[in-house]
Every structure is written in C-alpha cells, then in structure tokens.
Amino acid sequence: MARWQPGARERLQQSALDLFLEHGFERTTVAEIAARADLTERTFYRHFADKREVLFDGQDRLLHAFVDAVAAAPVEASPRELAEAAVVGSRDFFTEERRPWSRRRHQAISSEDGLRERESLKMGSLAAAVAQALRERGVEDPLAELAADAAISVFRVSFVQWIAPEETRTMGEIQSELFAAQRALG
Amino acid sequence: MARWQPGARERLQQSALDLFLEHGFERTTVAEIAARADLTERTFYRHFADKREVLFDGQDRLLHAFVDAVAAAPVEASPRELAEAAVVGSRDFFTEERRPWSRRRHQAISSEDGLRERESLKMGSLAAAVAQALRERGVEDPLAELAADAAISVFRVSFVQWIAPEETRTMGEIQSELFAAQRALG
C-alpha cells in the first residue's frame, strides 16, 4: 500500500486552483500542480484522474446526496416536494467554509469554454438523476422530469447567487426564497 | 459566384443522416456524405462547416424564433407567460413533415456521447437566450432565469414526447398539456 500523505488532497486542490487562476487551466500541468503542493505527480494521480477532476471531484457525492434525500422524503410528499428535498438535502455541501473555494473555482471555470460546458452538463446529469429518483418514488413521466428540472433550476440559480461577491445569505436562505419565487411564477 | 445546386442542402442532410445511422457518426466522413448525395466535398463545405453541423444547423434559427416571440408578446404578459411565448413561437419548426427527420436525427444523436452533450448544451444556450430576452422585457433576476428554465424544461420534454415512436399529438398539443402539468406542480 502507498503511504498516505495527510492533507495531500486538499493541498493539491489549492495548488491547482492557484495555478489555474494565475496561468489559466490549459497552460497548467499536473507536474506544476504537484510541485506547487510539494508532492509528486504520482501522488497527484493517486487522488485525481486528471487536472479537470480537481474541479469536479465532488459531483458524485453531490449526486448521491440528491438521490438519497429523495428516497428519504416523507411518503406524503408531492412530486415538487420530492424534487425540492433533493436540493435541500445537498445544503451541507455548501458551508461558509466552502464558499471562498467555490467562488475561486467558479472563476477558474468561467474563463474556459470546455470547463463551462462540463459544468453545464453536470446540471443535466443532476436533473436526470433526480428525475430517476422521483420515478423510483412512484412519480410518472412527464411529471418526474418537470419536477426535477424545476428543482435543478433553483439549485443552479441558488449557486450563482451564493457565490456572488457580496452575498452573505446562506445557501438555505437563498434556496427558500427561490423556491417561493418559482411557485409565485403562477 | 459558385453555381447553386437546387436541393443540395437537403440531399446532403439526408445522406449524412443515412450514413450516421448505418455506420455511426464517428466513422462517417464528409467525402462519403458528399458521394452518397452525388455532390462534391466542396459543395458540402459550402453548406456546412463540418459533419456535426448537419445535425445542429437549425439552432440559430430556433434561438431567434424564441427571442423574437418574447419581444413580440403582449405588454401585460407575466414572466412565465413571456417565457412560454418563446416556446410557443417555435412551433412552426416542428411540423408533421419534419417529425420523421427529427426522429432519425434523435436516434443518431443518442448513440454518441459527444452529440448528446452538444444537444444538452444547446438547451442551456436556449435557456440563457430566453432569460436575456426576458430581462430586455423588464423581468429581473432571478425571476428571468427561473421563468426561462421552466419554459425550456417544457420545450425539452415536449420534444422527447413529440419524437416518441407512437406519438401522434402535435407539438402544440403536447406543449399545452405540459404547461398545464407544470403549473399543477403547485
């Protein structure tokens, strides 16, 4: 077994993000990321498949949090409430400690077409997973798709607001306001 | 000026789709598409930038139809009604004559990761364009984004239903039912 380096993953993430913002994503190499973190490339590849993975490694856990929250929602929940439960169930990911990282990550992603596309596709994957979780709770199409899309729309917009420079509301506060605004669309 | 070949564009589209479905998108070359249509590669490139463009060339016109319909909607329209106008304004694209082509196009796209991603990104572009059209009609964020996402959700789901094998309802009928179902989410 390889020796485990405490904090290596976090150091690699910080170094990668620093370099992406300094020199651009394309021009940053894995060798540079490892060197900046005072680690070897080998250690980098023990944690991440490639440099893009540094920015998207949380996607699977997020997706599972969404799906698990739908499965755990009360039996009497409506399709919309089931879908909203998915979004509410992911709030623990978006803590105050995480906000600065999320802001910098967003900055890195915004400056690169390929990364923006990847982020957009991530939203599509989340919507598809939530729709499937709704079907498993007995919601039929097309309601499952419409309710899942509505919830992911709030998730997407809440994230944009949460990482805005002067924003101080918590993710929970933002999402509650957006769910209300969405219902009020009439 | 190059001589114009009547029907060349349509013949190239049909040939391309035939070949994509027979041999797969990746393994089809522009030379083969042109040969199947009894035209030259030069003629192909007069109509399309590359073979992927054959499947996505309608996107700009669709986007303009969406945006124009928002601009033309009544002054008293609510944010949701403005966004719905965008979708309603694109119905002329989805005629009975077009349905077989759309079904085959969908089949070609479904079998290729890169094409599915491109289709997913197209929906994101449409949502962003509708949100911007809403802002130009005085709708503020986040309502502009939420209403645009809701309309594009109906558009996306309506398209999936419209091209289903046994489906006979018109796009207009499908979308009216989906708009009602979305409102009924409560």
Side-chain angles (χ1 to χ4, degrees):
Chain A
M1 286 215 0
R3 262 178 309 160
W4 194 254
Q5 315 232 18
R9 187 181 184 82
E10 291 67 30
R11 272 158 59 202
L12 287 165
Q13 285 179 316
Q14 291 297 344
S15 301
L17 203 43
D18 287 345
L19 286 162
F20 295 161
L21 291 172
E22 285 167 27
H23 306 136
F25 176 80
E26 280 304 335
R27 292 202 294 166
T28 298
T29 66
V30 166
E32 288 166 345
I33 295 168
R36 172 80 63 111
D38 214 9
L39 294 164
T40 63
E41 282 190 66
R42 203 188 151 103
T43 302
F44 178 94
Y45 286 115
R46 220 176 283 143
H47 290 278
F48 303 103
D50 55 35
K51 63 180 175 174
R52 207 173 66 161
E53 196 59 26
V54 176
L55 297 170
F56 292 98
D57 82 309
Q59 182 172 356
D60 280 355
R61 273 173 295 137
L62 183 61
L63 195 143
H64 283 112
F66 273 48
V67 167
D68 291 349
V70 173
V75 278
E76 68 275 16
S78 71
R80 187 197 280 277
E81 286 164 350
L82 285 171
E84 288 183 356
V87 175
V88 172
S90 73
R91 281 184 190 166
D92 292 349
F93 284 77
F94 306 99
T95 58
E96 220 38 65
E97 299 74 59
R98 196 184 167 81
R99 182 139 44 174
W101 158 269
S102 294
R103 284 183 171 130
R104 295 177 73 228
R105 173 183 174 277
H106 179 75
Q107 210 179 323
I109 286 175
S110 303
S111 60
E112 197 87 23
D113 282 352
L115 297 176
R116 272 206 311 275
E117 292 189 354
R118 179 76 165 68
E119 183 77 349
S120 170
L121 293 169
K122 182 173 126 180
M123 293 297 161
S125 305
L126 290 173
V130 172
Q132 183 54 32
L134 262 62
R135 284 183 206 108
E136 283 162 22
R137 285 293 307 260
V139 180
E140 288 181 14
D141 279 321
L143 275 194
E145 300 245 355
L146 293 173
D149 281 359
I152 296 303
S153 172
V154 164
F155 176 69
R156 188 183 66 74
V157 176
S158 70
F159 191 76
V160 172
Q161 295 195 330
W162 186 65
I163 60 173
E166 307 295 323
E167 185 59 61
T168 56
R169 289 173 299 165
T170 66
M171 190 62 118
E173 288 165 349
I174 294 171
Q175 289 175 349
S176 297
E177 290 181 28
L178 290 173
F179 283 134
Q182 192 180 57
R183 283 192 163 86
L185 279 178
Chain B
M1 289 219 355
R3 263 178 308 160
W4 194 254
Q5 315 232 21
R9 185 180 185 83
E10 291 68 28
R11 273 158 61 202
L12 287 165
Q13 285 179 316
Q14 292 297 346
S15 302
L17 204 43
D18 288 344
L19 287 163
F20 295 162
L21 291 172
E22 286 167 28
H23 306 137
F25 175 79
E26 281 304 335
R27 291 202 297 165
T28 298
T29 66
V30 167
E32 287 166 346
I33 296 169
R36 172 79 63 111
D38 215 9
L39 293 164
T40 62
E41 281 191 67
R42 202 188 153 103
T43 302
F44 178 93
Y45 286 115
R46 221 178 282 142
H47 289 279
F48 303 103
D50 55 35
K51 63 180 176 173
R52 204 171 68 160
E53 195 60 26
V54 176
L55 297 170
F56 293 97
D57 80 310
Q59 182 173 356
D60 280 356
R61 274 173 295 135
L62 184 61
L63 196 143
H64 282 112
F66 273 48
V67 168
D68 291 349
V70 173
V75 279
E76 68 276 14
S78 71
R80 186 196 280 277
E81 286 164 349
L82 285 172
E84 287 184 357
V87 175
V88 172
S90 73
R91 283 183 190 167
D92 292 349
F93 283 78
F94 305 99
T95 59
E96 222 35 68
E97 297 76 58
R98 195 184 167 81
R99 185 142 39 175
W101 158 269
S102 293
R103 283 184 171 130
R104 297 177 72 229
R105 173 184 174 277
H106 179 75
Q107 211 179 322
I109 286 175
S110 302
S111 61
E112 195 87 22
D113 282 352
L115 297 176
R116 272 206 310 275
E117 291 189 355
R118 179 74 164 70
E119 185 78 348
S120 170
L121 292 169
K122 182 172 125 179
M123 294 298 163
S125 304
L126 289 173
V130 172
Q132 184 53 32
L134 261 63
R135 285 182 205 108
E136 282 162 22
R137 286 291 307 260
V139 181
E140 287 181 15
D141 278 321
L143 275 194
E145 299 245 356
L146 294 173
D149 281 358
I152 295 302
S153 172
V154 164
F155 176 70
R156 187 182 68 73
V157 177
S158 70
F159 191 76
V160 173
Q161 295 195 329
W162 187 65
I163 60 174
E166 306 294 323
E167 185 60 61
T168 57
R169 290 172 299 165
T170 65
M171 190 62 118
E173 288 165 349
I174 294 169
Q175 288 175 350
S176 297
E177 289 180 28
L178 291 173
F179 283 135
Q182 192 179 57
R183 282 191 164 86
L185 280 178

